[in-house]
Amino acid sequence: MTFVAEKLETFGQPEICAVLNTALAETAVSTMMAQNFHWNVTGMNFSSLHQQFQEIYEDHFAGQDDLAERIKALSGHADGNLTRMLERSSIEEPQGKATPTDMIAALLTAEETLASTLKSSGTFAANHGDTLTEDLCIARGQAHEKFAWILRAHLR
């Protein structure tokens, strides 16, 4: 075993899996939020928002898988329990019916939260010698920042 692998195993692997499980939970919550909005959006911008929400939930579904597989590669447990995901996530779903503007604003907040979570998760991983996890977090964080930019443009 190399020194870097020993360092990762000894000093950070369980903690890295924990921060990745938080990112996984937040991604799952935002995936369902986007899909819910896709199903329920109405109004003059129906077509563009319906398509945008679908693009978001499809991206996030793939992102969940990437995060879960990284957790498993680190010999961790990818926690897919929905109750624990909701508890772990700092993303809150709107309750009841939402207007298209409310939907956009809620998803914008979720995307910003995810980008921030992934940035700190990547930094944590890098500080523990895990540049592969850092790379995944950077890529996923960039995707969430792009969605945030697109959603923000709808609100201007």
Side-chain angles (χ1 to χ4, degrees):
M1 185 179 285
T2 67
F3 174 74
V4 173
E6 286 177 22
K7 180 180 176 189
L8 178 59
E9 186 175 311
T10 305
F11 297 114
Q13 196 168 11
E15 294 86 359
I16 292 169
C17 289
V19 296
L20 287 175
N21 266 308
T22 297
L24 175 61
E26 290 182 348
T27 304
V29 171
S30 65
T31 301
M32 196 63 235
M33 184 189 307
Q35 192 164 35
N36 178 31
F37 293 163
H38 169 80
W39 293 332
N40 290 297
V41 69
T42 58
M44 293 296 293
N45 294 320
F46 167 79
S47 184
S48 65
L49 289 176
H50 185 74
Q51 184 177 356
Q52 183 66 60
F53 296 156
Q54 181 173 349
E55 183 180 341
I56 291 170
Y57 78 70
E58 287 176 348
D59 169 84
H60 289 25
F61 188 79
Q64 290 176 68
D65 201 47
D66 292 340
L67 291 164
E69 288 177 355
R70 185 64 191 151
I71 292 165
K72 295 308 296 176
L74 295 171
S75 299
H77 175 74
D79 192 353
N81 180 280
L82 295 177
T83 300
R84 285 192 296 275
M85 284 180 157
L86 288 168
E87 291 169 352
R88 182 177 272 137
S89 175
S90 60
I91 295 172
E92 294 185 25
E93 296 179 290
Q95 300 300 311
K97 293 181 180 180
T99 67
T101 301
D102 293 339
M103 292 174 181
I104 295 166
L107 274 175
L108 172 58
T109 299
E111 296 302 324
E112 291 171 338
T113 299
L114 273 162
S116 177
T117 296
L118 286 157
K119 181 179 179 180
S120 63
S121 297
T123 300
F124 184 84
N127 289 340
H128 287 83
D130 184 356
T131 56
L132 297 177
T133 297
E134 176 190 27
D135 185 59
L136 172 63
C137 291
I138 289 169
R140 290 302 315 149
Q142 288 172 333
H144 295 294
E145 282 187 345
K146 183 176 180 180
F147 284 126
W149 161 64
I150 291 167
L151 292 164
R152 199 175 298 110
H154 280 283
L155 296 175
R156 291 198 172 135

